Amino acid sequence: MSYPRTKSLSPPRRRLLPRHSTHTLKAFLITLTLALLTFLHYKHDIPYTLALPQLPHHYHHQDQNPGLPAEANANESSSAPPRIALITFTTTPTSYTHLSLSNKAHYANLHNYTLLVDYEIPNTNDDIMWHKFSMLSSAIASERYDWIWWLDFDTLITNMSTPLSNIISTALTTGTNNTMEQNKVDWLLTPDCHSLNAGSFLVRAHPRSLEFVDLVRQAYLRNAQSEQDCMRDVLFPANDAPSAYAGRFAMMPQKSVNAFPEEIECWEKNAEGMEVGKWERGDFVVHFAGAWAWVKEKDATGVLMQKYRGMVVWEDEEVEVDEEEEGEGWGHWDVEVEIARGNEEDGKMVENIWRGSGVSVSVSV
């Protein structure tokens, strides 16, 4: 395994004037130029034009069709990647706080996404998980993003090379017939062994998307439940009644952004009844949902975090794994790990992480 490379930072450019002085000087020069050109125009009847600098793209908000998000009106040939924010929160110290944060920060930096983390929430009577909707609303209101990815804190991104743009594109084009239908889809969600798991989902960053949040809150007023259960009741009403949000959401495979590990046996099943939501090395995300109910350890989530941190596929990693079909659990794997920058203590740490997992690890430093 090769650890991620740290890019060197170039020295800052020298600024001869403070930033505010530079802006004042620019405004003065523009004003002076306009005054001079106006004088020449009236004295000599000379026509003129003045090209002013264009504002950056993210300052513009244009919506030719109020019924569609702004990006739906963009040129389809545009190659600009979507602006994406990854949002999560953590309010109490855990054994895996640094691991979870650094994992998500590395991925966000790698793909030029924005990571938004809340460390405290308002003191309300709502269950803590309802705060995800407050964070979502704030991110949409900022108008800085095209898509927002909510990701529970008890997760690890396990394939750093996977861009969210590919996942979004695949989800929108699967099961829709044309671009207009794709533009109507605002929420991309996944199941687990039940119809919905709200630990990882994608939302189009447009005010229209908040209509779903309003429906979810209305469902809570009718029947006080968790935010996940209220989301489920809106999307999949009882007795096969039509959904009030039909055509506005799409379901993705669990493995796309929300796979569960082998220890948490609540996986999506396909039409043939086969379990297809179980995490495998190379999958994008592993989610340790409800680990306390499945792993008989005092710090169940922390234990799983430490186990799976060694299975992250880094963007520059080359690891050869030979898996035998026989055996229980992970089977008998022989893994060769090369630490490019480290010492013997680092090697022992890696070996300890894998100890007891059924995997034979050979570490060279």
Side-chain angles (χ1 to χ4, degrees):
M1 181 195 312
S2 298
Y3 285 84
R5 302 184 181 92
T6 302
K7 297 181 179 179
S8 60
L9 300 177
S10 58
R13 298 173 60 183
R14 179 176 298 176
R15 183 179 293 278
L16 298 180
L17 292 174
R19 186 178 297 274
H20 62 85
S21 299
T22 305
H23 292 170
T24 303
L25 179 59
K26 289 179 179 178
F28 172 74
L29 291 176
I30 291 174
T31 303
L32 180 62
T33 304
L34 281 171
L36 178 61
L37 290 173
T38 302
F39 171 76
L40 293 173
H41 172 71
Y42 283 104
K43 184 176 181 180
H44 302 289
D45 196 25
I46 300 174
Y48 69 88
T49 58
L50 178 64
L52 297 178
Q54 187 177 5
L55 289 174
H57 174 72
H58 64 269
Y59 287 128
H60 295 282
H61 178 71
Q62 185 176 8
D63 196 351
Q64 296 96 334
N65 185 339
L68 294 175
E71 61 269 26
N73 298 303
N75 190 335
E76 293 183 4
S77 62
S78 174
S79 59
R83 301 167 300 168
I84 295 176
L86 192 172
I87 64 175
T88 189
F89 70 75
T90 177
T91 58
T92 56
T94 68
S95 63
Y96 54 88
T97 298
H98 179 266
L99 173 57
S100 180
L101 284 174
S102 60
N103 172 266
K104 294 167 178 59
H106 180 87
Y107 176 78
N109 290 334
L110 180 66
H111 294 274
N112 198 29
Y113 301 154
T114 300
L115 175 62
L116 302 176
V117 183
D118 274 5
Y119 298 94
E120 57 183 16
I121 63 174
N123 186 15
T124 66
N125 294 326
D126 292 339
D127 181 89
I128 188 174
M129 293 310 299
W130 284 87
H131 184 62
K132 66 175 65 172
F133 296 130
S134 298
M135 293 188 68
L136 181 65
S137 299
S138 297
I140 291 176
S142 73
E143 298 185 356
R144 297 178 180 176
Y145 314 109
D146 300 313
W147 285 87
I148 299 167
W149 182 23
W150 168 262
L151 187 60
D152 278 3
F153 199 71
D154 58 346
T155 56
L156 281 176
I157 297 171
T158 49
N159 192 328
M160 293 293 172
S161 298
T162 302
L164 282 169
S165 56
N166 288 0
I167 293 174
I168 294 170
S169 176
T170 300
L172 291 178
T173 55
T174 301
T176 55
N177 297 321
N178 53 54
T179 302
M180 291 299 294
E181 288 186 3
Q182 296 173 20
N183 290 334
K184 293 179 181 179
V185 175
D186 294 333
W187 289 69
L188 305 176
L189 308 114
T190 69
D192 51 19
C193 57
H194 305 289
S195 57
L196 178 70
N197 181 275
S200 177
F201 56 80
L202 288 148
V203 181
R204 195 188 297 270
H206 189 275
R208 187 185 69 179
S209 300
L210 297 179
E211 296 172 7
F212 177 65
V213 177
D214 293 338
L215 292 173
V216 173
R217 293 193 181 280
Q218 293 172 22
Y220 178 80
L221 295 177
R222 294 192 298 269
N223 186 9
Q225 302 179 96
S226 69
E227 96 292 351
Q228 178 172 285
D229 288 342
C230 290
M231 292 171 69
R232 177 205 61 207
D233 289 350
V234 172
L235 299 174
F236 309 105
N239 302 321
D240 295 328
S243 171
Y245 207 65
R248 302 283 300 281
F249 72 96
M251 298 302 296
M252 304 182 293
Q254 183 182 5
K255 284 170 70 71
S256 61
V257 295
N258 203 12
F260 286 5
E262 64 173 359
E263 292 85 357
I264 300 176
E265 301 177 15
C266 186
W267 307 303
E268 175 191 10
K269 293 182 179 181
N270 61 17
E272 289 73 33
M274 297 179 57
E275 295 171 334
V276 293
K278 181 178 176 181
W279 182 90
E280 298 175 296
R281 192 166 191 272
D283 287 343
F284 182 35
V285 173
V286 59
H287 183 192
F288 308 112
W292 56 270
W294 298 89
V295 178
K296 305 307 178 183
E297 299 279 352
K298 185 176 181 180
D299 181 18
T301 303
V303 168
L304 293 179
M305 279 275 191
Q306 291 300 323
K307 173 182 175 180
Y308 284 84
R309 69 181 298 179
M311 306 182 203
V312 173
V313 177
W314 300 95
E315 67 275 9
D316 59 353
E317 180 186 6
E318 294 183 3
V319 178
E320 294 183 1
V321 179
D322 296 327
E323 179 184 7
E324 296 182 7
E325 295 182 355
E326 298 179 356
E328 298 180 355
W330 284 97
H332 302 286
W333 287 14
D334 294 322
V335 180
E336 295 182 2
V337 179
E338 179 181 354
I339 301 179
R341 292 175 292 277
N343 51 40
E344 292 183 0
E345 292 184 359
D346 295 327
K348 292 180 180 179
M349 179 185 69
V350 173
E351 291 177 346
N352 289 334
I353 290 173
W354 288 84
R355 184 168 296 163
S357 64
V359 180
S360 299
V361 179
S362 174
V363 180
S364 59
V365 180

